Amino acid sequence: MSEWDLKICCMGAGYVGGPTMAVIAAKCPKIRVCVVDLSQKQIDAWNSSDLPIYEPGLPEVVEQCRGKNLFFSTDIDAEIKAADIIFISVNTPTKTMGIGAGRAANIKNCELCARKIAEVAESDKIIVEKSTVPVRTAEAVRRVLECNDKGLKFQVLSNPEFLAEGTAIPDLMKPDRVLIGGVQDEPGLAAAEKLVSVYANWVPRDQIITTNLWSSELSKLVANAFLAQRVSSINSISALCEATGADISEISRAVGKDDRIGKRFLNSSIGFGGSCFQKDILNLVYLCETYGLKECAEYWNQVIVMNDYQKKRFSEKMVSSMFNTVTGKKIAILGYAFKKDTGDVRETPSMFVVRDLVLEQARVHVYDPQVKREDMWTEMEYTVQMSEATHPGLDAAVTTAPDAYTACANAHAFAVLTEWDEFKELDFERIYKSMAKPAFVFDGRNLLDHAKLREIGFEVHAIGKPD
Ligand code: NAD
Ligand code: UGA
């Protein structure tokens, strides 16, 4: 008899696989959970005291379970063989070439996982799609699995993840809902019930929703599309505020008070970033196009168009406010992560602002409490195709500062691009004294006390606010 009630393997030890499995392990001491990855470096980091991702509360949860019922390994074959349930939690980025390039999601990694499982499994298993995928991917996964020549039976479920970075642990501990999609026949329903019983260890049953496979896969794309749409909607109004003298914070408050609208996700910003919003909307747009739904595709694509406009609008405003030139000027960037409480820089809007400033020949000094310089460069090369090789002098044009004061010293301007709490507590008198005059502030998150900054002497420009 095994000492475990159930064995879970998760393929992919990233932002989703790591925290999700750590919480399952913490909530289910009788379940053995192992997270596997192709990357030895990633697994070594999960097994160290310096975890590969920054997420508040995560080290404590990992510490509590690691070596007891939570393991991280590169021995993928052995863990597949041992598992009853296998989660696929690998990256599904936007395709960069071929059919659907720039829009369709690349599900290559999911297919590779399915092929690996078919190749090495020696017993029947439940396969759970945790990755965000185009609707009907489960069908592809099922067909690949069925090609095994051992007569094994696999049930494929969809169980998309809704955690947000920076709040992953509370989101996982107390999810709004857990969504499980499966085939609506007896074995499919039994597999779904098995996964329900895992989550039921800590999530109330009425918050665990079961649906058919396609509804589950599509709900994930729709949830992200709706959230991103709110950000683009409020950002579009921020431009109108700047033109008319209305104040975007007052509008968010007044509009959000309506229960039918709700107050969350109405913070105007320099645009949304992160690895998923743009990818998932593009995925939705591509799906609509594939099914011949041109008007639906155009409708959702507009969320991206507005987001690109907002990012561009911000850097253009910086340049025009500073007498139409930033050439040779030092500009401090406070915050580079795509939101606070994460070190993740994938698709971060800060990168687009930095790119625009560098192209205007500014000297950019970036301070972010969690972002590593190497990650900044990797993302720049991947997403905006900018590197020392393509833009000689780039490395020297962008300095990473050890703190906000160093970044701002002798600068002509500072811009707040990530809403880190610590920026609210800075000594702005000290910063003002150290800066070139006139000293400009561009608040891309409406984080700071603008009246106080103006009193000190700063010239303040903020999103959706009168100048
Ligand atoms: P990630 O890039 O952080 O991690 C993916 C991991 O999978 C990497 O470590 C990679 O090495 C590994 N991997 C790739 N192919 C593999 C294979 N064949 N076998 C084993 N390991 C393999 O990605 P992520 O941010 O964790 O996202 C994973 C999925 O979850 C994506 O589909 C994403 O859209 C979705 N999602 C992400 C978030 C988020 O906040 N990041 C939230 C909800 C859903
Ligand atoms: C988002 C969703 O919130 C999660 O539910 C989902 O699981 C996840 O995507 C995913 O599929 O990857 P995440 O991208 O981690 O989570 O973070 P969000 O809090 O949604 O923020 C996304 C972006 O929108 C950030 O750049 C943030 O600054 C921006 N944002 C958010 C605004 O500009 N204004 C707001 O009011 C809210």
Side-chain angles (χ1 to χ4, degrees), residues 16 132 161-167 171 177 220 223-224 227-228 230-231 234-235 263-277 279-280 307 337-340 342 344 346-349 417-419 444-445:
V16 170
T132 304
E161 184 47 60
F162 296 101
L163 68 81
E165 289 179 28
T167 53
D171 290 349
R177 79 310 210 177
K220 172 64 197 178
N224 272 359
L227 289 168
R230 275 175 79 92
V231 178
I234 200 72
N235 281 342
K263 63 179 185 195
R264 298 182 67 190
F265 258 74
L266 288 180
N267 293 325
S268 187
S269 65
I270 49 167
F272 58 75
S275 62
C276 293
F277 275 2
K279 160 178 85 70
D280 294 348
N307 199 46
F338 81 98
K339 62 185 285 197
K340 74 170 178 178
T342 178
D344 195 350
R346 292 177 290 180
E347 292 282 347
T348 179
L417 302 189
T418 312
E419 73 281 24
R445 297 285 184 165

Side-chain angles (χ1 to χ4, degrees), residues 18-300:
T20 310
M21 293 302 126
V23 168
I24 291 182
K27 295 293 187 182
C28 313
K30 298 287 286 172
I31 297 180
R32 181 187 188 274
V33 181
C34 184
V35 194
V36 297
D37 204 288
L38 295 170
S39 160
Q40 186 68 51
K41 190 172 160 227
Q42 187 81 350
I43 291 299
D44 287 347
W46 279 110
N47 280 321
S48 76
S49 55
D50 188 16
L51 300 183
I53 61 174
Y54 173 74
E55 192 62 60
L58 179 64
E60 292 81 352
V61 180
V62 170
E63 188 62 30
Q64 178 196 330
C65 310
R66 196 173 48 194
K68 297 186 185 111
N69 67 331
L70 174 66
F71 304 89
F72 297 92
S73 168
T74 48
D75 193 350
I76 298 178
D77 292 15
E79 294 300 336
I80 288 175
K81 284 193 181 101
D84 305 297
I85 299 183
I86 302 175
F87 285 79
I88 299 179
S89 185
V90 295
N91 40 326
T92 48
T94 305
K95 279 182 81 172
T96 52
M97 52 178 85
I99 300 165
R103 285 169 302 154
N106 192 340
I107 58 158
K108 176 194 78 171
N109 292 335
C110 291
E111 182 176 337
L112 287 175
C113 288
R115 287 190 183 278
K116 189 73 179 163
I117 296 167
E119 178 198 328
V120 305
E122 292 171 346
S123 55
D124 298 351
K125 307 202 183 282
I126 295 173
I127 312 302
V128 184
E129 270 177 4
K130 181 57 100 177
S131 296
T132 304
V133 290
V135 60
R136 298 200 77 87
T137 298
E139 178 66 6
V141 169
R142 185 189 61 77
R143 288 194 52 202
V144 169
L145 290 166
E146 270 180 5
C147 290
N148 78 85
D149 51 12
K150 293 168 262 183
L152 299 177
K153 295 261 174 300
F154 296 100
Q155 284 302 320
V156 181
L157 300 175
S158 157
N159 171 221
E161 184 47 60
F162 296 101
L163 68 81
E165 289 179 28
T167 53
I169 298 302
D171 290 349
L172 289 163
M173 295 274 188
K174 247 178 151 307
D176 286 348
R177 79 310 210 177
V178 167
L179 178 57
I180 297 172
V183 175
Q184 302 294 295
D185 61 10
E186 208 179 299
L189 293 170
E193 186 48 38
K194 193 151 196 168
L195 188 56
V196 168
S197 70
V198 171
Y199 284 106
N201 280 297
W202 78 99
V203 181
R205 286 234 172 199
D206 61 358
Q207 275 163 247
I208 306 176
I209 304 170
T210 51
T211 64
N212 79 31
L213 269 172
W214 322 130
S215 306
S216 173
E217 289 180 331
L218 189 54
S219 293
K220 172 64 197 178
L221 297 182
V222 173
N224 272 359
F226 274 45
L227 289 168
Q229 183 196 41
R230 275 175 79 92
V231 178
S232 275
S233 296
I234 200 72
N235 281 342
S236 76
I237 302 300
S238 74
L240 190 57
C241 284
E242 286 163 39
T244 58
D247 180 321
I248 197 66
S249 306
E250 294 179 348
I251 291 188
S252 293
R253 189 156 159 254
V255 171
K257 268 285 182 197
D258 186 327
D259 268 352
R260 294 169 303 174
I261 297 172
K263 63 179 185 195
R264 298 182 67 190
F265 258 74
L266 288 180
N267 293 325
S268 187
S269 65
I270 49 167
F272 58 75
S275 62
C276 293
F277 275 2
Q278 171 152 321
K279 160 178 85 70
D280 294 348
I281 292 178
L282 289 170
N283 190 341
L284 189 63
V285 167
Y286 186 69
L287 277 166
C288 293
E289 281 173 1
T290 306
Y291 289 99
L293 305 169
K294 183 170 154 281
E295 285 77 6
C296 304
E298 280 170 1
Y299 176 76
W300 286 107

